[in-house]
Amino acid sequence: MQENWLVYQDDLKVRTLKNEEMDEIKRLSILSQGNLEIVDTDDYLMSLDNIKLALSHYRDNKLIDEEVEEIAFEIGSLYGSIVEKKYGWKWRHIEKNDNRGYCVVSEDEKYCCPVHNYIYTILTDTEKSNNVKLLFNMLEVIHKEKVSGLYNFIS
């Protein structure tokens, strides 16, 4: 089965998610919401506080690689779903140079956030700040930035 990739210059490929992929992201998001005891994702600040606290907790405890990956996909799916809901961003699969994965993409397609990779990095790189709230708030005004090209990765 051929996938519906849009191919741009600079080794950029973008496609919408298949139904199965979107269903899995929704499932993981709901699972994470339950694990983090988030009652209402419309309460963005509370949801982000819970995500930030959970990430801090996981960083402070030794996890095996499989757990880190699982947590990154669950919390990343929740984080991306919150961004999608709040800012109207859309899920896409993007491959650009060495970056690839599921991302939430701004309406003007200038920015994309690889949410699963972003959460994974927070969990595994002690030098990376746990700035999920800061990034979330920046997304509200990022469209005002002058930037060239499409699908610029932010995290």
Side-chain angles (χ1 to χ4, degrees), residues 13-34:
K13 291 171 40 176
V14 179
R15 70 171 173 80
T16 58
L17 272 54
K18 301 172 191 169
N19 289 339
E20 303 84 38
E21 292 170 312
M22 204 56 231
D23 289 345
E24 182 66 2
I25 285 173
K26 288 177 185 172
R27 184 188 74 75
L28 292 172
S29 176
I30 291 167
L31 179 63
S32 182
Q33 183 179 343

mmCIF file with all atom_site columns, all heavy atoms in Angstrom, residues 13-34:
data_model
loop_
_atom_site.group_PDB
_atom_site.id
_atom_site.type_symbol
_atom_site.label_atom_id
_atom_site.label_alt_id
_atom_site.label_comp_id
_atom_site.label_asym_id
_atom_site.label_entity_id
_atom_site.label_seq_id
_atom_site.pdbx_PDB_ins_code
_atom_site.Cartn_x
_atom_site.Cartn_y
_atom_site.Cartn_z
_atom_site.occupancy
_atom_site.B_iso_or_equiv
_atom_site.pdbx_formal_charge
_atom_site.auth_seq_id
_atom_site.auth_comp_id
_atom_site.auth_asym_id
_atom_site.auth_atom_id
_atom_site.pdbx_PDB_model_num
ATOM 1   N N   . LYS A 1 13 ? 9.434  15.182 3.768  1.00 0.00 ? 13 LYS A N   1
ATOM 2   C CA  . LYS A 1 13 ? 8.258  14.397 3.393  1.00 0.00 ? 13 LYS A CA  1
ATOM 3   C C   . LYS A 1 13 ? 7.237  14.518 4.516  1.00 0.00 ? 13 LYS A C   1
ATOM 4   O O   . LYS A 1 13 ? 7.588  14.412 5.685  1.00 0.00 ? 13 LYS A O   1
ATOM 5   C CB  . LYS A 1 13 ? 8.632  12.929 3.204  1.00 0.00 ? 13 LYS A CB  1
ATOM 6   C CG  . LYS A 1 13 ? 9.500  12.673 1.995  1.00 0.00 ? 13 LYS A CG  1
ATOM 7   C CD  . LYS A 1 13 ? 10.054 11.259 1.900  1.00 0.00 ? 13 LYS A CD  1
ATOM 8   C CE  . LYS A 1 13 ? 9.146  10.162 2.275  1.00 0.00 ? 13 LYS A CE  1
ATOM 9   N NZ  . LYS A 1 13 ? 9.712  8.815  2.084  1.00 0.00 ? 13 LYS A NZ  1
ATOM 10  N N   . VAL A 1 14 ? 5.975  14.726 4.142  1.00 0.00 ? 14 VAL A N   1
ATOM 11  C CA  . VAL A 1 14 ? 4.896  14.910 5.110  1.00 0.00 ? 14 VAL A CA  1
ATOM 12  C C   . VAL A 1 14 ? 3.697  14.081 4.669  1.00 0.00 ? 14 VAL A C   1
ATOM 13  O O   . VAL A 1 14 ? 3.378  14.028 3.484  1.00 0.00 ? 14 VAL A O   1
ATOM 14  C CB  . VAL A 1 14 ? 4.474  16.404 5.187  1.00 0.00 ? 14 VAL A CB  1
ATOM 15  C CG1 . VAL A 1 14 ? 3.351  16.597 6.171  1.00 0.00 ? 14 VAL A CG1 1
ATOM 16  C CG2 . VAL A 1 14 ? 5.655  17.288 5.514  1.00 0.00 ? 14 VAL A CG2 1
ATOM 17  N N   . ARG A 1 15 ? 3.047  13.455 5.650  1.00 0.00 ? 15 ARG A N   1
ATOM 18  C CA  . ARG A 1 15 ? 1.797  12.759 5.339  1.00 0.00 ? 15 ARG A CA  1
ATOM 19  C C   . ARG A 1 15 ? 0.840  12.854 6.516  1.00 0.00 ? 15 ARG A C   1
ATOM 20  O O   . ARG A 1 15 ? 1.253  13.020 7.656  1.00 0.00 ? 15 ARG A O   1
ATOM 21  C CB  . ARG A 1 15 ? 2.044  11.301 4.959  1.00 0.00 ? 15 ARG A CB  1
ATOM 22  C CG  . ARG A 1 15 ? 2.496  10.418 6.079  1.00 0.00 ? 15 ARG A CG  1
ATOM 23  C CD  . ARG A 1 15 ? 2.497  8.937  5.665  1.00 0.00 ? 15 ARG A CD  1
ATOM 24  N NE  . ARG A 1 15 ? 3.090  8.105  6.677  1.00 0.00 ? 15 ARG A NE  1
ATOM 25  C CZ  . ARG A 1 15 ? 2.480  7.690  7.784  1.00 0.00 ? 15 ARG A CZ  1
ATOM 26  N NH1 . ARG A 1 15 ? 1.238  8.052  8.030  1.00 0.00 ? 15 ARG A NH1 1
ATOM 27  N NH2 . ARG A 1 15 ? 3.096  6.921  8.654  1.00 0.00 ? 15 ARG A NH2 1
ATOM 28  N N   . THR A 1 16 ? -0.437 12.764 6.186  1.00 0.00 ? 16 THR A N   1
ATOM 29  C CA  . THR A 1 16 ? -1.444 12.688 7.240  1.00 0.00 ? 16 THR A CA  1
ATOM 30  C C   . THR A 1 16 ? -1.355 11.299 7.869  1.00 0.00 ? 16 THR A C   1
ATOM 31  O O   . THR A 1 16 ? -0.839 10.359 7.250  1.00 0.00 ? 16 THR A O   1
ATOM 32  C CB  . THR A 1 16 ? -2.863 12.939 6.696  1.00 0.00 ? 16 THR A CB  1
ATOM 33  O OG1 . THR A 1 16 ? -3.133 11.991 5.678  1.00 0.00 ? 16 THR A OG1 1
ATOM 34  C CG2 . THR A 1 16 ? -3.000 14.353 6.147  1.00 0.00 ? 16 THR A CG2 1
ATOM 35  N N   . LEU A 1 17 ? -1.862 11.177 9.065  1.00 0.00 ? 17 LEU A N   1
ATOM 36  C CA  . LEU A 1 17 ? -1.805 9.897  9.754  1.00 0.00 ? 17 LEU A CA  1
ATOM 37  C C   . LEU A 1 17 ? -2.904 8.973  9.261  1.00 0.00 ? 17 LEU A C   1
ATOM 38  O O   . LEU A 1 17 ? -3.990 9.420  8.900  1.00 0.00 ? 17 LEU A O   1
ATOM 39  C CB  . LEU A 1 17 ? -1.946 10.109 11.263 1.00 0.00 ? 17 LEU A CB  1
ATOM 40  C CG  . LEU A 1 17 ? -0.660 10.374 12.027 1.00 0.00 ? 17 LEU A CG  1
ATOM 41  C CD1 . LEU A 1 17 ? 0.130  11.526 11.469 1.00 0.00 ? 17 LEU A CD1 1
ATOM 42  C CD2 . LEU A 1 17 ? -0.935 10.573 13.478 1.00 0.00 ? 17 LEU A CD2 1
ATOM 43  N N   . LYS A 1 18 ? -2.589 7.703  9.258  1.00 0.00 ? 18 LYS A N   1
ATOM 44  C CA  . LYS A 1 18 ? -3.594 6.683  8.945  1.00 0.00 ? 18 LYS A CA  1
ATOM 45  C C   . LYS A 1 18 ? -4.548 6.595  10.129 1.00 0.00 ? 18 LYS A C   1
ATOM 46  O O   . LYS A 1 18 ? -4.203 6.970  11.244 1.00 0.00 ? 18 LYS A O   1
ATOM 47  C CB  . LYS A 1 18 ? -2.912 5.334  8.728  1.00 0.00 ? 18 LYS A CB  1
ATOM 48  C CG  . LYS A 1 18 ? -1.903 5.342  7.611  1.00 0.00 ? 18 LYS A CG  1
ATOM 49  C CD  . LYS A 1 18 ? -1.137 4.035  7.583  1.00 0.00 ? 18 LYS A CD  1
ATOM 50  C CE  . LYS A 1 18 ? 0.039  4.141  6.653  1.00 0.00 ? 18 LYS A CE  1
ATOM 51  N NZ  . LYS A 1 18 ? 0.963  3.018  6.771  1.00 0.00 ? 18 LYS A NZ  1
ATOM 52  N N   . ASN A 1 19 ? -5.729 6.075  9.885  1.00 0.00 ? 19 ASN A N   1
ATOM 53  C CA  . ASN A 1 19 ? -6.722 5.944  10.950 1.00 0.00 ? 19 ASN A CA  1
ATOM 54  C C   . ASN A 1 19 ? -6.178 5.147  12.126 1.00 0.00 ? 19 ASN A C   1
ATOM 55  O O   . ASN A 1 19 ? -6.405 5.500  13.281 1.00 0.00 ? 19 ASN A O   1
ATOM 56  C CB  . ASN A 1 19 ? -8.001 5.292  10.430 1.00 0.00 ? 19 ASN A CB  1
ATOM 57  C CG  . ASN A 1 19 ? -8.788 6.208  9.510  1.00 0.00 ? 19 ASN A CG  1
ATOM 58  O OD1 . ASN A 1 19 ? -8.624 7.420  9.549  1.00 0.00 ? 19 ASN A OD1 1
ATOM 59  N ND2 . ASN A 1 19 ? -9.616 5.622  8.672  1.00 0.00 ? 19 ASN A ND2 1
ATOM 60  N N   . GLU A 1 20 ? -5.439 4.067  11.842 1.00 0.00 ? 20 GLU A N   1
ATOM 61  C CA  . GLU A 1 20 ? -4.890 3.228  12.911 1.00 0.00 ? 20 GLU A CA  1
ATOM 62  C C   . GLU A 1 20 ? -3.887 4.006  13.760 1.00 0.00 ? 20 GLU A C   1
ATOM 63  O O   . GLU A 1 20 ? -3.829 3.842  14.977 1.00 0.00 ? 20 GLU A O   1
ATOM 64  C CB  . GLU A 1 20 ? -4.194 1.979  12.334 1.00 0.00 ? 20 GLU A CB  1
ATOM 65  C CG  . GLU A 1 20 ? -5.061 1.102  11.467 1.00 0.00 ? 20 GLU A CG  1
ATOM 66  C CD  . GLU A 1 20 ? -5.137 1.583  10.011 1.00 0.00 ? 20 GLU A CD  1
ATOM 67  O OE1 . GLU A 1 20 ? -4.129 2.061  9.454  1.00 0.00 ? 20 GLU A OE1 1
ATOM 68  O OE2 . GLU A 1 20 ? -6.232 1.489  9.434  1.00 0.00 ? 20 GLU A OE2 1
ATOM 69  N N   . GLU A 1 21 ? -3.084 4.842  13.115 1.00 0.00 ? 21 GLU A N   1
ATOM 70  C CA  . GLU A 1 21 ? -2.099 5.636  13.843 1.00 0.00 ? 21 GLU A CA  1
ATOM 71  C C   . GLU A 1 21 ? -2.786 6.667  14.730 1.00 0.00 ? 21 GLU A C   1
ATOM 72  O O   . GLU A 1 21 ? -2.413 6.853  15.893 1.00 0.00 ? 21 GLU A O   1
ATOM 73  C CB  . GLU A 1 21 ? -1.155 6.347  12.862 1.00 0.00 ? 21 GLU A CB  1
ATOM 74  C CG  . GLU A 1 21 ? -0.248 5.410  12.101 1.00 0.00 ? 21 GLU A CG  1
ATOM 75  C CD  . GLU A 1 21 ? 0.486  6.091  10.972 1.00 0.00 ? 21 GLU A CD  1
ATOM 76  O OE1 . GLU A 1 21 ? -0.158 6.818  10.181 1.00 0.00 ? 21 GLU A OE1 1
ATOM 77  O OE2 . GLU A 1 21 ? 1.712  5.891  10.877 1.00 0.00 ? 21 GLU A OE2 1
ATOM 78  N N   . MET A 1 22 ? -3.803 7.317  14.192 1.00 0.00 ? 22 MET A N   1
ATOM 79  C CA  . MET A 1 22 ? -4.525 8.320  14.967 1.00 0.00 ? 22 MET A CA  1
ATOM 80  C C   . MET A 1 22 ? -5.270 7.665  16.122 1.00 0.00 ? 22 MET A C   1
ATOM 81  O O   . MET A 1 22 ? -5.300 8.211  17.234 1.00 0.00 ? 22 MET A O   1
ATOM 82  C CB  . MET A 1 22 ? -5.496 9.068  14.047 1.00 0.00 ? 22 MET A CB  1
ATOM 83  C CG  . MET A 1 22 ? -5.895 10.435 14.504 1.00 0.00 ? 22 MET A CG  1
ATOM 84  S SD  . MET A 1 22 ? -4.505 11.533 14.777 1.00 0.00 ? 22 MET A SD  1
ATOM 85  C CE  . MET A 1 22 ? -4.939 12.086 16.396 1.00 0.00 ? 22 MET A CE  1
ATOM 86  N N   . ASP A 1 23 ? -5.836 6.491  15.893 1.00 0.00 ? 23 ASP A N   1
ATOM 87  C CA  . ASP A 1 23 ? -6.515 5.761  16.964 1.00 0.00 ? 23 ASP A CA  1
ATOM 88  C C   . ASP A 1 23 ? -5.536 5.414  18.083 1.00 0.00 ? 23 ASP A C   1
ATOM 89  O O   . ASP A 1 23 ? -5.882 5.493  19.266 1.00 0.00 ? 23 ASP A O   1
ATOM 90  C CB  . ASP A 1 23 ? -7.163 4.485  16.430 1.00 0.00 ? 23 ASP A CB  1
ATOM 91  C CG  . ASP A 1 23 ? -8.377 4.750  15.549 1.00 0.00 ? 23 ASP A CG  1
ATOM 92  O OD1 . ASP A 1 23 ? -8.902 5.893  15.564 1.00 0.00 ? 23 ASP A OD1 1
ATOM 93  O OD2 . ASP A 1 23 ? -8.797 3.814  14.837 1.00 0.00 ? 23 ASP A OD2 1
ATOM 94  N N   . GLU A 1 24 ? -4.327 5.034  17.728 1.00 0.00 ? 24 GLU A N   1
ATOM 95  C CA  . GLU A 1 24 ? -3.318 4.683  18.734 1.00 0.00 ? 24 GLU A CA  1
ATOM 96  C C   . GLU A 1 24 ? -2.885 5.916  19.531 1.00 0.00 ? 24 GLU A C   1
ATOM 97  O O   . GLU A 1 24 ? -2.722 5.853  20.751 1.00 0.00 ? 24 GLU A O   1
ATOM 98  C CB  . GLU A 1 24 ? -2.105 4.027  18.068 1.00 0.00 ? 24 GLU A CB  1
ATOM 99  C CG  . GLU A 1 24 ? -1.026 3.590  19.025 1.00 0.00 ? 24 GLU A CG  1
ATOM 100 C CD  . GLU A 1 24 ? -1.425 2.469  19.983 1.00 0.00 ? 24 GLU A CD  1
ATOM 101 O OE1 . GLU A 1 24 ? -2.563 1.944  19.916 1.00 0.00 ? 24 GLU A OE1 1
ATOM 102 O OE2 . GLU A 1 24 ? -0.582 2.113  20.830 1.00 0.00 ? 24 GLU A OE2 1
ATOM 103 N N   . ILE A 1 25 ? -2.735 7.036  18.868 1.00 0.00 ? 25 ILE A N   1
ATOM 104 C CA  . ILE A 1 25 ? -2.383 8.279  19.574 1.00 0.00 ? 25 ILE A CA  1
ATOM 105 C C   . ILE A 1 25 ? -3.497 8.647  20.545 1.00 0.00 ? 25 ILE A C   1
ATOM 106 O O   . ILE A 1 25 ? -3.233 9.013  21.693 1.00 0.00 ? 25 ILE A O   1
ATOM 107 C CB  . ILE A 1 25 ? -2.089 9.416  18.571 1.00 0.00 ? 25 ILE A CB  1
ATOM 108 C CG1 . ILE A 1 25 ? -0.715 9.172  17.938 1.00 0.00 ? 25 ILE A CG1 1
ATOM 109 C CG2 . ILE A 1 25 ? -2.170 10.789 19.240 1.00 0.00 ? 25 ILE A CG2 1
ATOM 110 C CD1 . ILE A 1 25 ? -0.361 10.107 16.812 1.00 0.00 ? 25 ILE A CD1 1
ATOM 111 N N   . LYS A 1 26 ? -4.737 8.534  20.118 1.00 0.00 ? 26 LYS A N   1
ATOM 112 C CA  . LYS A 1 26 ? -5.872 8.826  21.008 1.00 0.00 ? 26 LYS A CA  1
ATOM 113 C C   . LYS A 1 26 ? -5.900 7.863  22.190 1.00 0.00 ? 26 LYS A C   1
ATOM 114 O O   . LYS A 1 26 ? -6.129 8.273  23.328 1.00 0.00 ? 26 LYS A O   1
ATOM 115 C CB  . LYS A 1 26 ? -7.188 8.756  20.234 1.00 0.00 ? 26 LYS A CB  1
ATOM 116 C CG  . LYS A 1 26 ? -7.395 9.910  19.284 1.00 0.00 ? 26 LYS A CG  1
ATOM 117 C CD  . LYS A 1 26 ? -8.674 9.755  18.481 1.00 0.00 ? 26 LYS A CD  1
ATOM 118 C CE  . LYS A 1 26 ? -8.793 10.857 17.447 1.00 0.00 ? 26 LYS A CE  1
ATOM 119 N NZ  . LYS A 1 26 ? -9.913 10.660 16.528 1.00 0.00 ? 26 LYS A NZ  1
ATOM 120 N N   . ARG A 1 27 ? -5.659 6.581  21.922 1.00 0.00 ? 27 ARG A N   1
ATOM 121 C CA  . ARG A 1 27 ? -5.651 5.578  22.990 1.00 0.00 ? 27 ARG A CA  1
ATOM 122 C C   . ARG A 1 27 ? -4.554 5.888  24.013 1.00 0.00 ? 27 ARG A C   1
ATOM 123 O O   . ARG A 1 27 ? -4.793 5.874  25.223 1.00 0.00 ? 27 ARG A O   1
ATOM 124 C CB  . ARG A 1 27 ? -5.442 4.182  22.406 1.00 0.00 ? 27 ARG A CB  1
ATOM 125 C CG  . ARG A 1 27 ? -5.527 3.064  23.440 1.00 0.00 ? 27 ARG A CG  1
ATOM 126 C CD  . ARG A 1 27 ? -5.130 1.720  22.867 1.00 0.00 ? 27 ARG A CD  1
ATOM 127 N NE  . ARG A 1 27 ? -3.701 1.585  22.666 1.00 0.00 ? 27 ARG A NE  1
ATOM 128 C CZ  . ARG A 1 27 ? -2.804 1.379  23.643 1.00 0.00 ? 27 ARG A CZ  1
ATOM 129 N NH1 . ARG A 1 27 ? -3.201 1.294  24.891 1.00 0.00 ? 27 ARG A NH1 1
ATOM 130 N NH2 . ARG A 1 27 ? -1.517 1.253  23.368 1.00 0.00 ? 27 ARG A NH2 1
ATOM 131 N N   . LEU A 1 28 ? -3.364 6.206  23.526 1.00 0.00 ? 28 LEU A N   1
ATOM 132 C CA  . LEU A 1 28 ? -2.248 6.512  24.428 1.00 0.00 ? 28 LEU A CA  1
ATOM 133 C C   . LEU A 1 28 ? -2.497 7.793  25.209 1.00 0.00 ? 28 LEU A C   1
ATOM 134 O O   . LEU A 1 28 ? -2.144 7.897  26.379 1.00 0.00 ? 28 LEU A O   1
ATOM 135 C CB  . LEU A 1 28 ? -0.938 6.607  23.635 1.00 0.00 ? 28 LEU A CB  1
ATOM 136 C CG  . LEU A 1 28 ? -0.436 5.299  23.045 1.00 0.00 ? 28 LEU A CG  1
ATOM 137 C CD1 . LEU A 1 28 ? 0.750  5.558  22.120 1.00 0.00 ? 28 LEU A CD1 1
ATOM 138 C CD2 . LEU A 1 28 ? -0.074 4.304  24.133 1.00 0.00 ? 28 LEU A CD2 1
ATOM 139 N N   . SER A 1 29 ? -3.123 8.756  24.568 1.00 0.00 ? 29 SER A N   1
ATOM 140 C CA  . SER A 1 29 ? -3.446 10.018 25.234 1.00 0.00 ? 29 SER A CA  1
ATOM 141 C C   . SER A 1 29 ? -4.418 9.780  26.385 1.00 0.00 ? 29 SER A C   1
ATOM 142 O O   . SER A 1 29 ? -4.228 10.288 27.498 1.00 0.00 ? 29 SER A O   1
ATOM 143 C CB  . SER A 1 29 ? -4.050 11.004 24.222 1.00 0.00 ? 29 SER A CB  1
ATOM 144 O OG  . SER A 1 29 ? -4.448 12.186 24.852 1.00 0.00 ? 29 SER A OG  1
ATOM 145 N N   . ILE A 1 30 ? -5.454 8.987  26.133 1.00 0.00 ? 30 ILE A N   1
ATOM 146 C CA  . ILE A 1 30 ? -6.447 8.668  27.172 1.00 0.00 ? 30 ILE A CA  1
ATOM 147 C C   . ILE A 1 30 ? -5.801 7.872  28.294 1.00 0.00 ? 30 ILE A C   1
ATOM 148 O O   . ILE A 1 30 ? -6.062 8.117  29.483 1.00 0.00 ? 30 ILE A O   1
ATOM 149 C CB  . ILE A 1 30 ? -7.648 7.933  26.555 1.00 0.00 ? 30 ILE A CB  1
ATOM 150 C CG1 . ILE A 1 30 ? -8.443 8.886  25.659 1.00 0.00 ? 30 ILE A CG1 1
ATOM 151 C CG2 . ILE A 1 30 ? -8.548 7.327  27.624 1.00 0.00 ? 30 ILE A CG2 1
ATOM 152 C CD1 . ILE A 1 30 ? -9.456 8.207  24.759 1.00 0.00 ? 30 ILE A CD1 1
ATOM 153 N N   . LEU A 1 31 ? -4.946 6.931  27.950 1.00 0.00 ? 31 LEU A N   1
ATOM 154 C CA  . LEU A 1 31 ? -4.226 6.142  28.947 1.00 0.00 ? 31 LEU A CA  1
ATOM 155 C C   . LEU A 1 31 ? -3.369 7.041  29.835 1.00 0.00 ? 31 LEU A C   1
ATOM 156 O O   . LEU A 1 31 ? -3.404 6.941  31.067 1.00 0.00 ? 31 LEU A O   1
ATOM 157 C CB  . LEU A 1 31 ? -3.352 5.089  28.259 1.00 0.00 ? 31 LEU A CB  1
ATOM 158 C CG  . LEU A 1 31 ? -2.514 4.195  29.154 1.00 0.00 ? 31 LEU A CG  1
ATOM 159 C CD1 . LEU A 1 31 ? -3.397 3.351  30.065 1.00 0.00 ? 31 LEU A CD1 1
ATOM 160 C CD2 . LEU A 1 31 ? -1.615 3.301  28.296 1.00 0.00 ? 31 LEU A CD2 1
ATOM 161 N N   . SER A 1 32 ? -2.648 7.951  29.223 1.00 0.00 ? 32 SER A N   1
ATOM 162 C CA  . SER A 1 32 ? -1.805 8.877  29.978 1.00 0.00 ? 32 SER A CA  1
ATOM 163 C C   . SER A 1 32 ? -2.638 9.804  30.851 1.00 0.00 ? 32 SER A C   1
ATOM 164 O O   . SER A 1 32 ? -2.290 10.070 32.002 1.00 0.00 ? 32 SER A O   1
ATOM 165 C CB  . SER A 1 32 ? -0.931 9.701  29.025 1.00 0.00 ? 32 SER A CB  1
ATOM 166 O OG  . SER A 1 32 ? -0.080 10.553 29.742 1.00 0.00 ? 32 SER A OG  1
ATOM 167 N N   . GLN A 1 33 ? -3.737 10.276 30.317 1.00 0.00 ? 33 GLN A N   1
ATOM 168 C CA  . GLN A 1 33 ? -4.635 11.151 31.085 1.00 0.00 ? 33 GLN A CA  1
ATOM 169 C C   . GLN A 1 33 ? -5.091 10.437 32.348 1.00 0.00 ? 33 GLN A C   1
ATOM 170 O O   . GLN A 1 33 ? -5.101 11.024 33.433 1.00 0.00 ? 33 GLN A O   1
ATOM 171 C CB  . GLN A 1 33 ? -5.830 11.550 30.222 1.00 0.00 ? 33 GLN A CB  1
ATOM 172 C CG  . GLN A 1 33 ? -6.773 12.510 30.889 1.00 0.00 ? 33 GLN A CG  1
ATOM 173 C CD  . GLN A 1 33 ? -7.935 12.906 29.981 1.00 0.00 ? 33 GLN A CD  1
ATOM 174 O OE1 . GLN A 1 33 ? -7.902 12.727 28.765 1.00 0.00 ? 33 GLN A OE1 1
ATOM 175 N NE2 . GLN A 1 33 ? -8.980 13.438 30.584 1.00 0.00 ? 33 GLN A NE2 1
ATOM 176 N N   . GLY A 1 34 ? -5.431 9.171  32.223 1.00 0.00 ? 34 GLY A N   1
ATOM 177 C CA  . GLY A 1 34 ? -5.844 8.385  33.388 1.00 0.00 ? 34 GLY A CA  1
ATOM 178 C C   . GLY A 1 34 ? -4.694 8.155  34.355 1.00 0.00 ? 34 GLY A C   1
ATOM 179 O O   . GLY A 1 34 ? -4.850 8.308  35.571 1.00 0.00 ? 34 GLY A O   1
#
